[in-house]
Amino acid sequence: MDATAQILFGGLFQGSLYAMMAVGLALIWTTIGVFNFTHGVMMMLGAYIAWTLSEIGLPFALVLPLVIVVMAAVGWALQASVVRPLIGRPNIVLVVVITTLAAASLIENATLEIWGPRSKQLPPLIAGNTTILGVGVSLHQIAIIVIAPVVLAALWFFLNRTRLGLALRAVAQNEDASLLVGLNVKALYGLAFAISAALAALAGIFMGGYRFMSPVMGADPLLKALIVVVFGGLSSVSGPIFAAYLIGFFEAICSYYFGLYWTPALLFAVLIVTLMIRPEGIFGSKSRGLA
Amino acid sequence: MSALLEVQSLTAGYGRIDVLHDISISVGTHGNVGLFGPNGHGKTTLLRTISGLLKTKSGTITFDGKPIANASPRSIVDMGLIHVPQGNRLFPDLTIAECLTLGAYTKRARADEAANREKVVKIFPKLAERWRQKVRTLSGGERQMVSIGTALMGSPKLLILDEPTLGLAPKIKEELCASVLDISKGGVPLIVVEQDVEFLLELSQHLYLINHGEVATEIKPGETMDHAEIMALYFGQ
């Protein structure tokens, strides 16, 4: 009972965080067809800005929406500076890997310069602990497990049930046709980055509430998100969400039975096996026309 | 009657290579316009420049009295000039219903969305049967119907069709031709590029032969021309 509860809880918790991260990566891939390596630093930057805002005394209820808005703007600006100028060039996928890696490195080091190397921590969303099924958990983690699916469902609703979401999905599939029905393609690219950065920032705030923050705190979640999107497939946004929870549970099982030491190796084994057997991902479709 | 669309001394192309050289056409004074001519001589390039997908190097394009050369495709669509590109693969992962909704994305078209949707269903009843089907699962003919239907959702004042029957089976082609004639009778002026000369003659009254990026011959209504002469223009004497 104890083991099951622990795995269940760990899986849900990790899965929630990975889903929040992976979905942003997938959103950018499905709309623009590029891979965004600044996703990890967006998460970190969100957490640091939240830390500064709460240090100057703002209540957390205000910090949360403020960080989301600020990070959406940062995402938009990032897109305008390191992605948009390259659209239409040959090899855009590779070039954007390089420009976003460079931007990530710059932002990471700027953070180190501005905020210093000392580890920081954010206040938890809800303070306190409780015991469920014989496992001690923090209320902060419970809050994340509850909030993440709500946020993801809202995103799904936005993409599948609103006109703007429809436009965002269309742009991914055929740029010329999008232009010819009158979509503002550039603005939609910006929007994809803005939403993605806001989601990453939210994940960063979640993470900063139970782990110490450092300028490189985004690197590991980015890597996990990468495993998730490869495993789940990148052709939709719902694929990575399910995949994130599967990977979360897989990680929880591995770390329970094999220990933390072996878990990354096993996760990469999953990545390699997926790439060998089903490179389009378990929820992906074979025939996608992007990139 | 002044021309709805006036292209004057247009030069355009890809990168440093000019495809169109000093081309002038006028649409809307003598009924539907048909463009024909050998492949690779600039018909599609001309249409892409008109709809704003390609930049103009020199010359002017006027639509509905306003200059549109180098305007964004979005503003051109919003004015009611709507282009159905060649071999349109449209949005493979969207359903038919979603494509039509996108067709009415501009503010101007949004007001008439319901009425336009009814119109499209009337012209292409087949589409209504498979409202929730994804475009990638449709046949070439059905996809072309969705493309044209999507364009109609934008309340076109002028509709550009680039080889609507390309690669279709004869029976489906016939069906599509009938629908296009219906659309034209419904009062939407057309610019059509078409390799099927019979269909082109039936549909359009004003013809341009595009050759080497120039207007080689213009045929106005009254200056009728029989099949043999067109063939001669096409393939040389």
Side-chain angles (χ1 to χ4, degrees):
Chain A
M1 195 61 218
D2 190 41
T4 321
Q6 207 135 33
I7 288 168
L8 190 72
F9 179 75
L12 276 175
F13 176 63
Q14 300 284 16
S16 303
L17 275 181
Y18 296 164
M20 298 274 299
M21 284 296 282
V23 96
L25 275 185
L27 186 66
I28 287 177
W29 176 263
T30 51
T31 43
I32 313 181
V34 298
F35 198 83
N36 174 23
F37 275 98
T38 60
H39 205 54
V41 296
M42 290 292 116
M43 174 185 192
M44 177 273 294
L45 201 57
Y48 270 83
I49 292 173
W51 182 83
T52 300
L53 290 178
S54 47
E55 277 300 285
I56 60 172
L58 290 180
F60 215 62
L62 197 65
V63 169
L64 213 60
L66 214 56
V67 170
I68 286 171
V69 171
V70 169
M71 287 307 295
V74 171
W76 188 294
L78 192 83
Q79 184 271 155
S81 54
V82 302
V83 180
R84 189 186 293 171
L86 303 163
I87 285 169
R89 295 234 194 136
N91 299 326
I92 181 171
V93 176
L94 199 61
V95 176
V96 169
V97 166
I98 294 162
T99 57
T100 53
L101 269 177
S105 173
L106 275 172
I107 294 168
E108 208 171 280
N109 286 296
T111 306
L112 191 63
E113 196 65 29
I114 296 166
W115 277 282
R118 183 174 292 173
S119 294
K120 297 166 174 52
Q121 196 159 23
L122 282 172
L125 294 173
I126 306 169
N129 292 292
T130 186
T131 307
I132 298 174
L133 300 169
V135 183
V137 292
S138 71
L139 290 175
H140 176 72
Q141 285 170 305
I142 301 277
I144 291 169
I145 289 174
V146 175
I147 294 171
V150 174
V151 172
L152 297 171
L155 180 71
W156 186 91
F157 184 87
F158 167 72
L159 287 174
N160 289 288
R161 293 286 179 273
T162 68
R163 196 180 277 271
L164 196 57
L166 175 63
L168 211 49
R169 283 185 296 137
V171 151
Q173 297 172 33
N174 190 339
E175 195 180 320
D176 269 2
S178 302
L179 286 168
L180 291 176
V181 293
L183 301 185
N184 188 344
V185 171
K186 277 184 185 166
L188 289 168
Y189 286 167
L191 181 67
F193 260 84
I195 294 173
S196 168
L199 285 168
L202 199 57
I205 293 173
F206 288 173
M207 199 150 140
Y210 82 100
R211 236 180 239 174
F212 283 110
M213 294 155 50
S214 78
V216 293
M217 68 184 273
D220 184 60
L222 176 65
L223 208 60
K224 298 287 169 55
L226 178 69
I227 294 174
V228 166
V229 292
V230 170
F231 176 66
L234 270 162
S235 60
S236 70
V237 173
S238 52
I241 293 177
F242 292 120
Y245 283 98
L246 286 178
I247 292 285
F249 279 110
F250 181 76
E251 190 176 343
I253 292 168
C254 288
S255 49
Y256 190 85
Y257 290 107
F258 306 107
L260 272 177
Y261 186 72
W262 279 102
T263 304
L266 288 166
L267 282 173
F268 277 99
V270 169
L271 179 74
I272 292 164
V273 171
T274 311
L275 284 173
M276 282 165 67
I277 297 173
R278 206 178 146 81
E280 67 275 14
I282 54 169
F283 302 116
S285 59
K286 265 188 178 142
S287 51
R288 52 171 296 98
L290 256 182
Chain B
M1 182 176 158
S2 73
L4 181 59
L5 177 75
E6 189 82 57
V7 174
Q8 267 166 341
S9 333
L10 178 69
T11 299
Y14 304 88
R16 258 175 264 162
I17 298 155
D18 289 345
V19 176
L20 306 174
H21 311 282
D22 200 22
I23 209 167
S24 297
I25 67 166
S26 147
V27 182
T29 45
H30 304 96
N32 295 335
V33 163
L35 303 177
F36 68 111
N39 283 331
H41 281 243
K43 300 186 297 294
T44 296
T45 306
L46 174 60
L47 300 183
R48 286 174 67 85
T49 313
I50 291 172
S51 58
L53 291 176
L54 283 177
K55 294 271 168 258
T56 307
K57 282 192 183 152
S58 64
T60 60
I61 308 173
T62 319
F63 177 68
D64 217 2
K66 294 181 196 84
I68 58 163
N70 294 325
S72 70
R74 191 160 58 109
S75 59
I76 293 171
V77 170
D78 207 23
M79 290 172 73
L81 200 171
I82 298 183
H83 178 181
V84 180
Q86 188 181 37
N88 196 355
R89 55 183 196 87
L90 216 62
F91 306 105
D93 282 324
L94 298 188
T95 64
I96 293 178
E98 286 175 331
C99 284
L100 296 186
T101 304
L102 270 185
Y105 198 82
T106 57
K107 279 206 180 73
R108 192 179 55 85
R110 227 172 274 188
D112 304 320
E113 190 174 341
N116 280 335
R117 201 179 285 263
E118 258 170 57
K119 243 187 251 172
V120 171
V121 171
K122 220 170 167 189
I123 294 167
F124 301 115
K126 256 190 180 172
L127 299 185
E129 297 162 17
R130 29 189 89 187
W131 221 230
R132 301 248 146 254
Q133 205 170 319
K134 282 191 177 178
V135 169
R136 71 158 77 246
T137 64
L138 302 176
S139 71
E142 289 162 343
R143 216 172 296 181
Q144 195 56 254
M145 289 175 195
V146 182
S147 295
I148 296 174
T150 302
L152 289 176
M153 291 298 289
S155 299
K157 284 185 202 156
L158 175 64
L159 189 59
I160 299 179
L161 300 176
D162 194 350
E163 300 210 28
T165 68
L166 186 73
L168 299 185
K171 195 163 171 268
I172 298 169
K173 185 170 163 182
E174 229 168 80
E175 235 180 280
L176 197 76
C177 291
S179 306
V180 171
L181 281 169
D182 274 352
I183 293 167
S184 171
K185 277 184 204 131
V188 182
L190 304 172
I191 303 180
V192 187
V193 169
E194 183 55 59
Q195 299 293 0
D196 181 341
V197 174
E198 306 287 344
F199 177 44
L200 195 69
L201 287 176
E202 189 179 359
L203 193 62
S204 42
Q205 295 77 44
H206 189 179
L207 296 166
Y208 290 95
L209 170 67
I210 309 285
N211 207 354
H212 296 294
E214 290 164 350
V215 174
T217 311
E218 182 182 357
I219 306 159
K220 285 185 177 162
E223 309 171 359
T224 46
M225 188 167 219
D226 64 23
H227 192 116
E229 279 175 286
I230 287 179
M231 282 308 189
L233 275 174
Y234 231 95
F235 298 112
Q237 306 294 337

